[in-house]
Amino acid sequence: SLRPEVLEAWRTFQGSIRKNLRLRRYELVTLAAAMALKCRYCVVAHSAVLIKNGTSLDQLRTIIANFRNAGLEQPEVAMMEFSEKVAKSANAMTQADIDLLRALGFTDVEILDITLTATMRSFASKTFDALGAEADPAYGELENQLSDLLPL
């Protein structure tokens, strides 16, 4: 890293959010934001985490293609829709968006953590895209397996 102190602060910030969400939820929220932002690097990296933790390649492909029809549980779809909306147009968020998550059993702390995860991904994705970051070589095979679904 050209700025190790920034990287360390980033990791601390990310860890403080991540520890409060189950890994699957964190990764699905992150994936939804990354897809909304069209960040190829982030989609591949977070897809790898989902695969490493039990999501099949077929299910992952379905999630990336259309998470709304991927057989996910209703709370997972809702949090991904929320994250997508935050990433695309946070200024369009309304109380109804929050109330929907509450109605599905999310606590206010979980809603905040979902929001922070999506906005944190926006920061990271925009940074990676602006600097032309490419997926690590370790993700090469996965990137090839997902290439037809990934943003350019």
Side-chain angles (χ1 to χ4, degrees), residues 86-115:
V86 168
K88 284 184 176 179
S89 54
N91 62 320
M93 300 301 291
T94 67
Q95 187 62 47
D97 296 307
I98 293 168
D99 291 342
L100 175 63
L101 291 184
R102 281 185 183 143
L104 291 169
F106 290 95
T107 66
D108 287 344
V109 170
E110 289 171 319
I111 294 167
L112 174 61
D113 288 335
I114 290 167
T115 304

Side-chain angles (χ1 to χ4, degrees), residues 35-84:
M35 291 184 311
L37 295 161
K38 297 180 170 54
C39 182
R40 185 180 185 102
Y41 177 94
C42 295
V43 171
V44 172
H46 291 279
S47 291
V49 175
L50 284 165
I51 284 181
K52 182 179 177 186
N53 287 280
T55 302
S56 72
L57 179 61
D58 287 340
Q59 184 181 28
L60 179 62
R61 287 183 54 80
T62 303
I63 291 168
I64 292 171
N66 184 354
F67 66 84
R68 290 167 183 85
N69 294 315
L72 300 175
E73 296 177 7
Q74 186 180 11
E76 291 176 329
V77 172
M79 69 182 190
M80 290 182 78
E81 288 176 335
F82 186 93
S83 178
E84 178 182 64

Side-chain angles (χ1 to χ4, degrees), residues 1-50:
S1 172
L2 297 174
R3 298 279 310 280
E5 72 281 6
V6 173
L7 180 60
E8 185 58 34
W10 168 257
R11 286 184 175 154
T12 299
F13 178 57
Q14 182 183 35
S16 70
I17 296 166
R18 187 181 220 167
K19 72 180 179 183
N20 292 319
L21 289 171
R22 291 194 310 262
L23 179 65
R24 179 175 170 86
R25 283 189 172 179
Y26 176 85
E27 293 301 333
L28 288 174
V29 167
T30 299
L31 186 62
M35 291 184 311
L37 295 161
K38 297 180 170 54
C39 182
R40 185 180 185 102
Y41 177 94
C42 295
V43 171
V44 172
H46 291 279
S47 291
V49 175
L50 284 165

Side-chain angles (χ1 to χ4, degrees), residues 113-146:
D113 288 335
I114 290 167
T115 304
L116 289 170
T117 298
T119 57
M120 179 181 66
R121 179 56 35 215
S122 294
F123 171 83
S125 292
K126 288 176 184 285
T127 301
F128 296 149
D129 284 345
L131 296 174
E134 295 180 3
D136 299 335
Y139 300 139
E141 182 180 342
L142 180 59
E143 186 172 15
N144 287 337
Q145 293 169 326
L146 300 175

